[in-house]
Amino acid sequence: MNRLVPPLAFALALAGVARPDAAFAGAVVIWPVDPTIAGTEQATALWLENKGDQPVTLQVRSLRWSQPQGEDVLEPQDEVVASPPITQVAPGQRQLVRVIRRTVDGGVPERSYRLFIDELPAPPPADGSAAPTARLAVQMRYSIPLFTYAGKAEGTTAKLSVRVVPSAAGQMLAIANAGTMHARLTDLRLVANGRESVVKAGLAGYVLPGATFHVPLPAGGGAGSVLVGVNGRDTTLAPTF
């Protein structure tokens, strides 16, 4: 069981340059950043594009993603696989990778995974002619979520509640998801006396079904309601204490 820990260079799925649904860092562009596989589908497409001037070799892996005790945990699995798992993309070219679901569990409406796309180091020349260098070679890692469904994704919903809880570092918001679908949380704000204060701008995180997401509150920020983007739609939550 592996904790979700960033390596030396870690690129989260962000809105991209040429495509609003692309993740990028360095010379590689990846899209879509929110792939899904519905109950009627066996696979989805993942595109890898090389914007640089040198070929890149990329490895695609899929890990099961859960959130026990509110922490992201990744585990090996064989329910979802990438084909091809390793590919070289020439400069200015793109490569299609099929993400294939091998089994469907009808008893679980939504399953969550993380796709890791690792840039592999270029092999040294066979003739040993590579010159020594003092530069640090950094390979990028891209991580994007993948959700699969036993039926249609539209048949699942996130059901959130929020509490203010104490911790050793002060008060925290505990956002629990009792629904059957993940909640992607963005632009987390507190609203009190008609004024908004930002707790976490941009992507705050994900809360999977049955899990709880924790975020520290600023000092004196325990009153009022919570306004947060949930899967792209602003939602108001009334906290309990």
Side-chain angles (χ1 to χ4, degrees):
M1 187 166 62
N2 300 313
R3 299 292 173 183
L4 184 57
V5 179
L8 181 62
F10 183 73
L12 288 175
L14 302 175
V17 178
R19 294 176 172 82
D21 58 346
F24 71 99
V28 178
V29 177
I30 302 168
W31 78 94
V33 297
D34 55 353
T36 61
I37 303 177
T40 56
E41 301 170 336
Q42 291 185 320
T44 190
L46 186 70
W47 286 94
L48 312 175
E49 184 172 0
N50 182 1
K51 292 286 191 178
D53 56 8
Q54 297 293 325
V56 293
T57 301
L58 301 169
Q59 179 183 43
V60 182
R61 297 177 297 132
S62 56
L63 299 173
R64 186 183 298 114
W65 177 25
S66 60
Q67 291 179 327
Q69 288 78 53
E71 293 188 33
D72 290 316
V73 173
L74 300 174
E75 300 175 278
Q77 53 80 41
D78 59 3
E79 302 154 5
V80 172
V81 296
S83 178
I86 298 178
T87 184
Q88 186 177 79
V89 188
Q93 300 299 308
R94 63 185 65 170
Q95 172 68 48
L96 170 65
V97 174
R98 296 181 71 237
V99 182
I100 302 167
R101 173 168 55 180
R102 301 175 64 186
T103 61
V104 179
D105 185 350
V108 180
E110 177 186 83
R111 285 188 174 274
S112 50
Y113 304 88
R114 278 273 173 180
L115 298 177
F116 282 85
I117 301 95
D118 292 297
E119 183 180 345
L120 302 182
D127 59 6
S129 60
T133 177
R135 292 188 304 168
L136 176 65
V138 177
Q139 276 72 51
M140 301 302 298
R141 167 172 289 180
Y142 310 83
S143 171
I144 61 176
L146 167 71
F147 299 100
T148 67
Y149 298 90
K152 293 183 178 180
E154 293 80 4
T156 59
T157 57
K159 184 178 180 181
L160 302 183
S161 61
V162 60
R163 293 185 301 124
V164 177
V165 297
S167 73
Q171 288 188 321
M172 301 188 75
L173 282 179
I175 303 176
N177 184 0
T180 55
M181 182 183 189
H182 70 279
R184 181 179 186 269
L185 306 179
T186 54
D187 297 325
L188 184 60
R189 293 145 287 170
L190 291 178
V191 181
N193 300 319
R195 300 182 61 183
E196 292 184 13
S197 58
V198 177
V199 177
K200 197 164 187 178
L203 178 62
Y206 287 81
V207 55
L208 301 180
T212 301
F213 175 83
H214 293 88
V215 60
L217 276 173
S225 59
V226 175
L227 182 62
V228 61
V230 179
N231 298 332
R233 178 177 298 179
D234 268 356
T235 303
T236 300
L237 303 172
T240 58
F241 294 83

